[in-house]
Amino acid sequence: MSHREILSSITVSLAERSYPILLGRGLLADLSVHLHSHLKKLSHVLVIIDEHVAKALGDSIQASLVQADGAALLRVSYYVVPSGEKSKSIEQLAQLWEFMSAENCDRGSVVVAIGGGVVGDLAGFAAASFARGLRFVQVPTTLLAQVDSSVGGKTGINLSRAKNMVGAFWQPSLVLIDFDSLASLPAREFNAGLAEVVKYGMILDATFFEWLEANVTAIKGRSLDALTHIVARSCELKASVVAADERETTGLRAILNYGHTFGHAIEALSGYGNYLHGEAVSIGMTMAAKLACSLHMIDESIVNRQTALLHSLDLPIDPPHIPFDLFWAAMQKDKKVQHGKLTFILPDCIGSVKGVNDISATQVSAAIS
Amino acid sequence: MSHREILSSITVSLAERSYPILLGRGLLADLSVHLHSHLKKLSHVLVIIDEHVAKALGDSIQASLVQADGAALLRVSYYVVPSGEKSKSIEQLAQLWEFMSAENCDRGSVVVAIGGGVVGDLAGFAAASFARGLRFVQVPTTLLAQVDSSVGGKTGINLSRAKNMVGAFWQPSLVLIDFDSLASLPAREFNAGLAEVVKYGMILDATFFEWLEANVTAIKGRSLDALTHIVARSCELKASVVAADERETTGLRAILNYGHTFGHAIEALSGYGNYLHGEAVSIGMTMAAKLACSLHMIDESIVNRQTALLHSLDLPIDPPHIPFDLFWAAMQKDKKVQHGKLTFILPDCIGSVKGVNDISATQVSAAIS
């Protein structure tokens, strides 16, 4: 861990809730330094960490929090979260709340979430709700969390019938993206993260999409330059959307949902955990593009380019076998349903999407079958 | 229920989160009308109601929601909450979340909490967290809830070790205070509400305190004029504090905590539910005044005036027998503890309080024993 450098810095602009995203190498090794330089009046750190990450990095994180960095020594508590979507449960949240109470967390505490989206979502909601709000730092260690869930302030857990159905908009004070943590990420998880990267190109940035098409080899090889570009650009694009519609009230933020209405239904009906989130989104984007094509919003060549890019990144394209009525019913559980109407986010070219209402079950069924 | 009139209206000023408090008679009988005139794009009403209130008023509430008021018919769901502090639990919250999911609550839904502080706090947090935030209407049916918990946006539940430890700041869209609902309120609960009324006089308004001293008989007789004055003035005073410090960040809002640091410890150590919240606050204010007196902030005549007023309103004054070390430890669980330091809110005259730090256990013990 000889390299310790900040390679890029992005600001999420949300008035008094603005915060920096730092991207680089060796950031976790300097965790204590970064916490002290970005958070005032810190008396206690609660590290909430994924069990696999704890095995791999726990010792060095612990060392970084007691190192002689000139700052006052902090009281530190550790809470290990079992890996997997099942930890985004009421039971896990209840256990975490009681742990925070037993550890005397108070408004001088900061919650530091280290892991993937599951840990970030769970820890973020715990931070949002404990004592009606503690400060919160995201240290995403998977590509998916780095390009998506750690940016934007969405936190939450699943209910038995619906994913992410309970939670809060709660902005972190700081996001640390350490590329070192990607070194040991399994290929399947890395690829799943790339689905969200492709999404940003499709919804907002045709140039970025073309760059992805031209750089598949470097991306799959995880070159530092490629990682820095795809993560920084994804964060910038997401930050711009979040800044314009922090709480999903204007409808703009809904474009981030491209592929997700289908994707969430796939995840829910396959049992959480059988598909990685990014895999379900990859299939969902394919379904959304086909639907847009059948509605004459895009022509087939665009569907094919998206499919080819996803395929070249080793992502699944084809939906699992699920009866359509079940699928349709599951989609109606989407949080963006308002007054019983589902809005589909569909592309009208590469780099642009729009929300479309009043699409019938028959139209969807015909497009994706 | 022949009288239907709005007697007073107060605005809680919080920029885009501002909302009105309507006080009057027959407001519940016109629930549907009030919902339609204050909330746009309403597709579904989830009534969360205290079981005792449901028995007494359920039929008329149901009738008011289906009456021919010219507005579109609404889909309505009902959830009955067992009476008592024990319903502010993780288990009850989990059950409510799953119910909301089963009833397909979405962002076109409004949560209407009808009952005392328990229902308002539980339903408010469910509204804040379901789908990351649904609109919320408070219909407080106890005096305590009318003058305190329904105003200001604090919502939450208890953990096994600490009261109100989990929750959100979540402002209602509308508060309806219907004096009809006080008609059947037991004397003990009515009196408990008066403790918070006395608190507003002590912390902010000497004239109001004197008015209370001069009108004990009318207050205890629940005359409509007296009720309107004490509830409206309490709401105004609380609204002014909340507007100046919505999220307890400047320290101003902490003055509302007068009597509560002691009171919460009494509630926690006596088992939630043995003392009504207002009773614990009455004892807590007495302890706080004695502490202020021992620190030479006020003289004994002020302690005595507060004690006499609380006593004339049939409120308890004397603490239960609890070993002091247990009591002190329980106070350290207060959410306002920052960096391990407890701030006591203490009077320096009638109508004014301030926060005092660095008070030792010995000083507290000597003052209140």
Side-chain angles (χ1 to χ4, degrees):
Chain A
M1 200 88 69
S2 57
H3 292 285
R4 296 185 178 188
E5 51 179 339
I6 293 171
L7 295 163
S8 184
S9 170
I10 295 158
T11 299
V12 183
S13 298
L14 293 165
E16 77 280 7
R17 291 182 302 288
S18 297
Y19 60 91
I21 304 171
L22 306 183
L23 299 86
R25 295 189 291 178
L27 302 189
L28 257 178
D30 284 337
L31 180 56
S32 177
V33 176
H34 296 300
L35 292 180
H36 279 296
S37 58
H38 287 89
L39 291 138
K40 288 174 189 158
K41 293 193 179 176
L42 202 57
S43 60
H44 173 223
V45 178
L46 169 60
V47 172
I48 302 179
I49 188 166
D50 175 89
E51 65 173 329
H52 290 155
V53 179
K55 274 176 203 153
L57 301 174
D59 290 347
S60 69
I61 290 166
Q62 217 150 347
S64 81
L65 285 169
V66 293
Q67 73 193 4
D69 57 13
L73 282 179
L74 288 169
R75 187 165 71 86
V76 184
S77 309
Y78 293 90
Y79 185 89
V80 176
V81 178
S83 298
E85 187 76 21
K86 281 179 182 157
S87 285
K88 281 176 63 173
S89 66
I90 294 175
E91 293 70 28
Q92 187 60 239
L93 176 67
Q95 193 178 316
L96 176 51
W97 277 339
E98 294 286 6
F99 177 82
M100 293 168 83
S101 175
E103 292 289 302
N104 293 318
C105 283
D106 64 27
R107 291 184 187 160
S109 302
V110 61
V111 172
V112 179
I114 307 178
V118 168
V119 165
D121 287 1
L122 172 71
F125 185 45
S129 54
F130 193 88
R132 297 197 190 90
L134 302 182
R135 290 171 294 176
F136 172 45
V137 170
Q138 289 265 32
V139 188
T141 59
T142 67
L143 181 62
L144 182 75
Q146 290 178 354
V147 297
D148 183 26
S149 57
S150 71
V151 180
K154 280 198 182 181
T155 68
I157 59 167
N158 302 325
L159 296 182
S160 60
R161 292 179 194 79
K163 197 170 148 70
N164 294 323
M165 195 43 94
V166 159
F169 289 98
W170 194 247
Q171 301 298 340
S173 303
L174 172 68
V175 179
L176 295 176
I177 294 180
D178 188 343
F179 294 125
D180 290 338
S181 62
L182 296 184
S184 59
L185 193 69
R188 187 177 166 197
E189 281 198 52
F190 183 81
N191 297 340
L194 293 173
E196 297 281 356
V197 175
V198 171
K199 182 192 79 176
Y200 293 115
M202 279 299 293
I203 66 175
L204 284 166
D205 189 343
T207 307
F208 185 47
F209 188 91
E210 287 155 17
W211 188 93
L212 296 172
E213 290 179 309
N215 289 274
V216 166
T217 309
I219 294 166
K220 291 170 82 169
R222 305 188 197 183
S223 86
L224 189 62
D225 283 350
L227 285 179
T228 305
H229 183 62
I230 63 175
V231 177
R233 187 66 191 139
S234 296
C235 288
E236 276 169 7
L237 290 166
K238 178 150 186 185
S240 69
V241 174
V242 169
D245 182 20
E246 185 182 1
R247 300 184 66 92
E248 267 175 351
T249 46
T250 68
L252 178 61
R253 188 163 173 159
I255 67 172
L256 296 172
N257 218 35
Y258 175 55
H260 284 60
T261 302
F262 291 106
H264 284 159
I266 291 169
E267 285 179 277
L269 294 170
S270 312
Y272 292 135
N274 287 322
Y275 282 92
L276 296 179
H277 176 66
E279 292 170 343
V281 168
S282 175
I283 298 168
M285 289 194 293
T286 308
M287 295 169 92
K290 283 182 182 168
L291 177 57
C293 185
S294 79
L295 296 169
H296 308 294
M297 291 172 63
I298 52 173
D299 64 38
E300 207 171 348
S301 68
I302 291 183
V303 183
N304 293 341
R305 272 178 70 189
Q306 181 188 276
T307 305
L309 179 55
L310 293 169
H311 188 71
S312 72
L313 297 169
D314 300 325
L315 281 160
I317 312 295
D318 297 319
H321 293 286
I322 296 169
F324 183 76
D325 54 341
L326 280 185
F327 201 84
W328 182 254
M331 284 198 292
Q332 307 304 317
K333 295 277 178 184
D334 193 283
K335 274 188 305 303
K336 284 91 191 172
V337 169
Q338 275 205 326
H339 324 302
K341 279 191 187 168
L342 192 57
T343 300
F344 286 86
I345 305 299
L346 301 179
D348 50 7
C349 64
I350 286 177
S352 171
V353 286
K354 58 182 182 183
V356 184
N357 294 313
D358 298 318
I359 298 181
S360 68
T362 316
Q363 286 171 297
V364 175
S365 172
I368 64 180
S369 63
Chain B
M1 202 86 72
S2 56
H3 293 285
R4 297 184 179 189
E5 51 179 340
I6 293 171
L7 295 163
S8 184
S9 171
I10 295 158
T11 299
V12 183
S13 298
L14 293 164
E16 78 280 7
R17 291 181 302 287
S18 297
Y19 60 92
I21 304 171
L22 307 182
L23 300 86
R25 294 189 294 178
L27 303 189
L28 257 178
D30 285 336
L31 180 57
S32 178
V33 176
H34 295 300
L35 291 181
H36 279 295
S37 58
H38 288 90
L39 292 139
K40 287 173 191 159
K41 293 191 179 176
L42 203 55
S43 60
H44 172 224
V45 177
L46 169 59
V47 172
I48 302 180
I49 187 166
D50 174 271
E51 66 172 327
H52 291 154
V53 179
K55 273 175 203 154
L57 301 174
D59 290 348
S60 70
I61 290 165
Q62 217 151 346
S64 81
L65 286 169
V66 294
Q67 72 193 4
D69 58 13
L73 282 179
L74 287 170
R75 187 166 71 86
V76 184
S77 310
Y78 294 91
Y79 185 90
V80 176
V81 178
S83 298
E85 187 77 20
K86 280 178 183 161
S87 284
K88 281 176 62 172
S89 65
I90 294 176
E91 294 70 28
Q92 187 61 238
L93 176 67
Q95 195 179 313
L96 176 51
W97 276 339
E98 294 286 5
F99 177 82
M100 293 168 83
S101 175
E103 291 289 302
N104 292 319
C105 284
D106 65 28
R107 290 183 187 160
S109 302
V110 62
V111 172
V112 179
I114 307 178
V118 167
V119 165
D121 286 2
L122 172 71
F125 185 43
S129 54
F130 193 87
R132 297 198 189 90
L134 303 181
R135 290 170 295 174
F136 172 47
V137 171
Q138 290 264 31
V139 188
T141 59
T142 67
L143 181 61
L144 181 76
Q146 291 178 352
V147 298
D148 183 27
S149 58
S150 70
V151 180
K154 281 197 184 181
T155 68
I157 59 167
N158 302 324
L159 296 182
S160 59
R161 292 177 193 80
K163 197 170 147 69
N164 295 322
M165 194 43 94
V166 159
F169 289 99
W170 193 248
Q171 301 298 340
S173 303
L174 172 68
V175 180
L176 294 176
I177 295 180
D178 188 342
F179 295 124
D180 290 339
S181 62
L182 296 184
S184 60
L185 193 69
R188 187 178 165 196
E189 281 197 54
F190 183 80
N191 297 340
L194 293 174
E196 297 280 357
V197 175
V198 171
K199 181 191 79 176
Y200 293 115
M202 279 299 294
I203 66 174
L204 283 166
D205 188 342
T207 307
F208 185 47
F209 189 91
E210 287 155 18
W211 188 94
L212 297 173
E213 291 179 309
N215 290 275
V216 165
T217 310
I219 294 167
K220 290 170 81 169
R222 307 189 196 182
S223 86
L224 189 62
D225 284 350
L227 286 178
T228 304
H229 184 62
I230 63 174
V231 176
R233 188 65 191 140
S234 296
C235 287
E236 277 170 7
L237 290 167
K238 178 149 186 186
S240 69
V241 174
V242 170
D245 182 18
E246 185 181 0
R247 300 183 67 92
E248 267 175 349
T249 46
T250 70
L252 178 62
R253 187 161 175 161
I255 68 171
L256 297 171
N257 217 37
Y258 176 55
H260 283 61
T261 302
F262 292 106
H264 284 159
I266 291 169
E267 285 179 277
L269 294 169
S270 311
Y272 292 135
N274 286 321
Y275 282 93
L276 297 178
H277 175 68
E279 292 171 342
V281 168
S282 175
I283 298 168
M285 289 194 291
T286 308
M287 296 169 93
K290 282 181 182 170
L291 177 57
C293 185
S294 78
L295 297 170
H296 309 293
M297 291 173 62
I298 53 173
D299 65 37
E300 207 170 349
S301 67
I302 291 183
V303 182
N304 293 342
R305 273 179 70 190
Q306 181 188 276
T307 305
L309 179 56
L310 293 170
H311 188 71
S312 72
L313 297 169
D314 301 324
L315 282 160
I317 313 294
D318 298 319
H321 294 286
I322 294 168
F324 182 76
D325 55 341
L326 279 184
F327 200 85
W328 183 255
M331 284 198 292
Q332 308 303 318
K333 294 278 180 184
D334 194 283
K335 273 188 304 302
K336 285 93 192 169
V337 169
Q338 275 205 325
H339 324 301
K341 279 191 187 169
L342 193 57
T343 300
F344 286 87
I345 306 298
L346 301 179
D348 51 7
C349 64
I350 286 176
S352 171
V353 285
K354 58 182 182 184
V356 184
N357 294 313
D358 298 320
I359 298 181
S360 68
T362 315
Q363 285 172 299
V364 174
S365 171
I368 64 179
S369 63

